[in-house]
Amino acid sequence: MKIHILKYFAISIVFIFLFSVYISCTQKSIVEHALLTDAPQVPPSITRSHPAKVIVELEVKEVVRNIAEGVQYTFWTFGGSVPGKFIRIREGDTVEFHLANHPANKLPHNIDLHAVTGPGGGAASSFTAPGHKSQFTFRALNPGLYVYHCATAPVGMHVANGMYGLIYVQPKKSLPPVDREYYIMQSDFYTKGAFGEKGLQPFSMEKAIDEKPTYVVFNGAVNSLVGDNAIKANVGETVRLFVGNGGPNLVSSFHVIGEIFDSVYTEGGVLANQHNVQTTLVPAGGSSIVEFKMDVPGTYILVDHSILRTFNKGALGMLKAGGKEDKSIYSGKEVDENYIESKVSESAPPTSPQAPKEEKSGQQIFANTCAMCHQAEGQGLAGVFPPLAHSDFLMKIAKSGDRTQLVSIVTKGFSGKVTVNGKDYNNVMTPLSGLTDEDLVAVLNYVTNSWGNSAPRFSVEEIQKAKAKLSP
């Protein structure tokens, strides 16, 4: 009897050993093609519990796209977009990396992945001429969120033209599950022309060396995360943002207006080493992971809290949260009463014929300089930026006998309380610099004759007279 028991025991041990060897060999033979996504989307979380061989295929493309409405720029890209594709792999994976340089490109390129342990982060093995492909392999030893970028000389120029992205090495023990994940990457661009100057803009090495960017943007362009392009969530959901900074020069002070980061994984590490954070620094060539729960519906503004970059250079995005209000967390306005009584003189507005359709230049100027705050259709942002569409405040001035105030608001800025369509706003509008008299005519005519507004049209002569009145 004992002999039979020992016999069966030995057979069981051999079977278990052979089965474990089979499983081990099967796991080692697993090959996957990485799913790559364009910002702001992120590939789904990896659910397997073992390493795999992952094939990543990325193509360099030199493309002309809008950096702002009416402003084109020649971007050098990983995958045809700025930032480059989001790459998601798992700690312990063996990555076979294929880099292709499109035949239509003019320059050689390579890739330096900060997640790679090896010379140049892969740059030394991936130098690729137009019309060629390169391949190298690396083991993902360290988990975390890493930047990748081109490292071909002159490195600064290749990075400044849009050659960067994020690669996430998901740790063996995954971060806590969340409802939404998004990919946000800030960067600074240096064009010969001023902010909003129309046409195809060349790169300015002089501005780049002096670290004086023309544009500071999220995901490659002004308004890339505004309006219909805003990221979305619902009340009760948790949101994780993978935030990168391509640079090439500026450090980002990343902040979401109206939210507090429940957890921050500083510099892209895998430990939530801070909680209840208002603003987190993201260095050039670095990253951060932030998480927060949506408690109140509304539109939340993503900014670089070096705040003039947001309102004057383009670093503004939106997260739109739907769902039921909770007045115990945020009441909304509870009191609206006069603080100091004042009298405003009123002039009878002159009658005017129906204004013709506004020229495209006014629309472009508005999109580049005003839409970030007042929104693409002039609807404003509740409680923050007053609407221009169907605005009684705007029309009262635009139809008055003296419209100097409108010229002053645009050229000199404005601060303080205003009441628009029965609602109070108290914010700051910064002056719009660099606009010619013709630009002012175009944008004022567009604003005062769009979205249900109708007013007499401005002329260059009227603008010049208004400026003369405003001169000290």
Side-chain angles (χ1 to χ4, degrees):
M1 184 68 176
K2 288 183 178 179
I3 294 175
H4 286 298
I5 292 173
L6 290 173
K7 181 179 178 181
Y8 287 128
F9 180 74
I11 292 172
S12 298
I13 292 297
V14 171
F15 176 78
I16 292 171
F17 172 75
L18 292 174
F19 183 74
S20 64
V21 169
Y22 169 77
I23 292 297
S24 176
C25 292
T26 302
Q27 289 180 355
K28 287 180 181 178
S29 66
I30 289 176
V31 177
E32 297 180 356
H33 285 262
L35 173 64
L36 310 181
T37 59
D38 290 323
Q41 302 307 318
V42 177
S45 180
I46 297 171
T47 57
R48 55 182 162 82
S49 58
H50 49 79
K53 179 180 179 180
V54 181
I55 297 174
V56 176
E57 296 178 298
L58 198 57
E59 183 182 36
V60 176
K61 295 180 179 179
E62 298 168 11
V63 299
V64 176
R65 290 191 172 184
N66 278 5
I67 193 170
E69 184 66 32
V71 185
Q72 292 80 45
Y73 190 77
T74 302
F75 295 96
W76 302 348
T77 76
F78 289 108
S81 60
V82 177
K85 305 285 188 179
F86 193 102
I87 305 169
R88 190 171 199 153
I89 57 177
R90 183 184 180 273
E91 179 184 1
D93 283 350
T94 297
V95 181
E96 183 181 291
F97 202 99
H98 299 254
L99 185 69
N101 192 347
H102 194 279
N105 293 344
K106 296 180 174 61
L107 297 167
H109 300 283
N110 65 4
I111 191 165
D112 168 4
L113 300 110
H114 291 185
V116 169
T117 301
S125 305
S126 61
F127 184 82
T128 311
H132 289 254
K133 294 180 179 180
S134 296
Q135 177 185 324
F136 65 97
T137 300
F138 71 93
R139 179 73 60 82
L141 300 178
N142 303 95
L145 181 65
Y146 298 94
V147 167
Y148 66 80
H149 61 87
C150 186
T152 301
V155 178
M157 184 177 183
H158 284 250
V159 175
N161 282 335
M163 300 198 75
Y164 39 76
L166 290 181
I167 177 170
Y168 180 48
V169 183
Q170 182 177 305
K172 293 177 181 177
K173 183 179 180 181
S174 299
L175 301 187
V178 295
D179 299 295
R180 310 261 185 166
E181 290 184 330
Y182 290 109
Y183 171 21
I184 312 293
M185 197 156 197
Q186 181 174 317
S187 50
D188 29 294
F189 287 91
Y190 303 81
T191 62
K192 291 276 189 183
F195 181 91
E197 187 171 326
K198 295 180 284 293
L200 180 62
Q201 291 297 320
F203 168 73
S204 170
M205 181 62 85
E206 182 180 4
K207 283 185 179 180
I209 292 172
D210 290 342
E211 301 186 6
K212 294 180 179 179
T214 318
Y215 297 87
V216 183
V217 297
F218 294 130
N219 291 358
V222 176
N223 293 335
S224 65
L225 290 169
V226 168
D228 292 340
N229 296 323
I231 58 177
K232 295 176 174 62
N234 293 310
V235 169
E237 293 182 333
T238 49
V239 177
R240 176 178 292 138
L241 301 182
F242 295 101
V243 184
N245 184 1
N249 289 321
L250 302 184
V251 173
S252 172
S253 301
F254 186 73
H255 175 76
V256 178
I257 299 174
E259 261 299 343
I260 297 166
F261 303 142
D262 299 326
S263 296
V264 174
Y265 300 78
T266 305
E267 295 179 352
V270 295
L271 295 177
N273 58 340
Q274 267 294 11
H275 303 285
N276 305 318
V277 174
Q278 58 189 319
T279 301
T280 189
L281 291 176
V282 187
S287 64
S288 184
I289 304 172
V290 301
E291 297 170 351
F292 49 94
K293 181 182 178 183
M294 304 308 306
D295 295 303
V296 177
T299 299
Y300 295 80
I301 308 300
L302 285 58
V303 302
D304 180 340
H305 218 296
S306 295
I307 208 70
L308 289 175
R309 298 175 187 170
T310 291
F311 297 110
N312 295 77
K313 292 181 180 288
L316 184 148
M318 292 181 179
L319 188 161
K320 294 185 177 180
K324 187 178 180 181
E325 293 185 353
D326 186 343
K327 297 293 187 180
S328 69
I329 296 176
Y330 183 74
S331 70
K333 180 175 286 190
E334 296 178 311
V335 176
D336 185 359
E337 60 185 16
N338 289 334
Y339 175 57
I340 298 176
E341 294 288 344
S342 63
K343 293 184 178 180
V344 180
S345 61
E346 296 186 10
S347 301
T351 59
S352 63
Q354 181 66 32
K357 184 178 180 180
E358 180 53 46
E359 59 270 19
K360 188 176 182 182
S361 61
Q363 185 176 4
Q364 289 174 340
I365 294 167
F366 178 84
N368 291 339
T369 58
C370 314
M372 286 181 291
C373 298
H374 293 291
Q375 307 300 291
E377 298 300 322
Q379 68 268 36
L381 202 60
V384 185
F385 303 117
L388 300 178
H390 302 282
S391 168
D392 56 1
F393 174 82
L394 177 64
M395 286 297 95
K396 181 178 179 180
I397 303 171
K399 293 181 179 181
S400 69
D402 184 357
R403 305 192 289 184
T404 303
Q405 185 181 359
L406 281 186
V407 179
S408 174
I409 289 173
V410 176
T411 60
K412 295 182 175 294
F414 182 84
S415 63
K417 178 181 173 182
V418 293
T419 301
V420 181
N421 300 339
K423 295 182 179 179
D424 291 337
Y425 298 84
N426 194 346
N427 213 316
V428 176
M429 175 173 169
T430 57
L432 303 182
S433 58
L435 297 182
T436 65
D437 291 347
E438 289 77 10
D439 290 338
L440 284 169
V441 168
V443 73
L444 285 172
N445 282 339
Y446 176 71
V447 168
T448 56
N449 289 278
S450 298
W451 321 301
N453 297 334
S454 178
R457 296 171 68 78
F458 286 81
S459 65
V460 171
E461 291 74 20
E462 183 179 4
I463 296 295
Q464 291 172 343
K465 288 179 181 178
K467 282 186 172 181
K469 285 186 180 180
L470 295 170
S471 298

